Amino acid sequence: MAERFRLHRFDVLQSTQIEAGQDIYQHGDVVVAVTQTGSYGRRGRAWQAPVGNLYFTMVEKFTGYTQLEWLPYVVGLALYDAVAFHIADHNNKLHLKWPNDVLIDGKKMSGILIEVKDDKLLIGIGVNVTVKPQTDQPATYINEYALSEMTSDQVLEAFLFHYARWTDIAEEGGFAAIKNDWMTRAAYIGHEITARLANGKVLNGVFEALDDHGALVLREETAHHVVTSADIFFSNSDSNGTKIHND
Ligand code: BTN
């Protein structure tokens, strides 16, 4: 483990993504910050970074687009496994939400942002460990549900261990080698969901499966859609997580 990753710790950064994007960082470097003043999430959304949670960006080699088929799932699996045995009733309470969020009791515990920069991948991860951020979607933090409280360093160390393990499996067998492991930890499979695509289009249907390339298969009454990028919501919720169908 010590050879695989090199940690670079900062008290304050604008964003670990921006820091890690500099040429001085290479495959295996991990940039960690206690807090960030300008952190961002998927689709350019702001990401709050109060002191007490975990913020880091891993730099990895970008080997091609098939790597992106399995990487988000590997990161989600590693985060899930890093905290699972600390969460009370984790089999019922802890879930992966497509494409790469981790939920506790249906509320967001972490966010993952994967960016490609030249021949490098910047894998940015924010984990709510001790503080619940004030967001417009339901959020929680690990220690709200922990049997034994975790520190940010414990989460990071456990994550890196499981990330290395799942990466070895995926590099060998591709997405097919991890698909079932992801599905058994996932939320909403077999349920009605709403998928909001990047172009604003909204699809409603049943989350039927993942295809062999990591895309979400959504069944509408008359069609199947293969969705490669979207935000998804349980159909009993709107995009802010508030109920819209009470009947
Ligand atoms: C999301 O859910 O939209 C992804 C959020 C990713 C936030 C992390 S915190 C560490 C890294 N630095 C950033 O500026 N963003 C990512």
Side-chain angles (χ1 to χ4, degrees):
M1 174 81 57
E3 312 83 54
R4 172 75 170 86
F5 301 107
R6 295 170 301 279
L7 299 190
H8 305 270
R9 293 183 180 275
F10 295 84
D11 286 337
V12 186
L13 287 174
Q14 182 185 350
S15 159
T16 56
Q17 294 293 104
I18 295 172
E19 177 67 23
Q22 296 185 76
D23 291 345
I24 50 169
Y25 297 107
Q26 301 299 330
H27 170 65
D29 284 320
V30 181
V31 174
V32 191
V34 174
T35 187
Q36 304 172 104
T37 56
S39 42
Y40 56 93
R42 293 174 62 230
R43 302 190 182 179
R45 288 184 281 243
W47 180 262
Q48 289 181 36
V51 172
N53 293 336
L54 172 64
Y55 314 104
F56 64 100
T57 298
M58 284 189 297
V59 182
E60 291 279 64
K61 252 183 236 128
F62 176 49
T63 57
Y65 283 94
T66 49
Q67 183 186 16
L68 295 179
E69 291 180 358
W70 52 257
L71 186 73
Y73 297 97
V74 158
V75 177
L77 281 165
L79 209 42
Y80 183 106
D81 288 357
V83 303
F85 289 101
H86 290 262
I87 302 297
D89 193 20
H90 76 265
N91 281 327
N92 292 314
K93 287 271 192 283
L94 190 65
H95 291 102
L96 294 169
K97 174 179 178 258
W98 191 89
N100 48 22
D101 284 345
V102 182
L103 306 179
I104 309 177
D105 211 10
K107 294 170 278 191
K108 185 161 162 131
M109 177 206 96
S110 60
I112 296 166
L113 171 70
I114 300 176
E115 297 180 299
V116 179
K117 186 164 189 251
D118 305 323
D119 60 346
K120 289 189 259 182
L121 287 168
L122 304 175
I123 305 166
I125 302 177
V127 186
N128 303 332
V129 182
T130 69
V131 184
K132 177 160 114 178
Q134 299 304 311
T135 58
D136 60 0
Q137 54 177 308
T140 188
Y141 57 98
I142 293 172
N143 289 343
E144 191 172 17
Y145 289 88
L147 294 164
S148 54
E149 294 205 341
M150 295 189 85
T151 64
S152 292
D153 278 353
Q154 284 172 328
V155 176
L156 177 59
E157 191 184 335
F159 170 81
L160 293 175
F161 171 81
H162 288 290
Y163 173 81
R165 189 171 67 79
W166 283 113
T167 301
D168 286 348
I169 296 169
E171 278 176 350
E172 178 84 21
F175 177 64
I178 60 168
K179 175 174 165 175
N180 285 342
D181 297 289
W182 195 91
M183 301 263 287
T184 57
R185 293 162 175 79
Y188 309 154
I189 293 179
H191 289 267
E192 284 274 344
I193 60 162
T194 297
R196 185 168 348 104
L197 312 188
N199 63 9
K201 192 172 172 193
V202 171
L203 299 171
N204 290 296
V206 174
F207 182 172
E208 197 164 75
L210 297 175
D211 77 3
D212 290 343
H213 301 284
L216 184 155
V217 181
L218 189 76
R219 177 167 46 82
E220 279 187 318
E221 268 179 22
T222 53
H224 274 81
H225 298 276
V226 175
V227 180
T228 54
S229 174
D231 285 326
I232 69 164
F233 308 97
F234 191 39
S235 288
N236 279 338
S237 312
D238 69 11
S239 57
N240 293 322
T242 47
K243 285 212 163 219
I244 54 175
H245 299 306
N246 288 321
D247 46 349

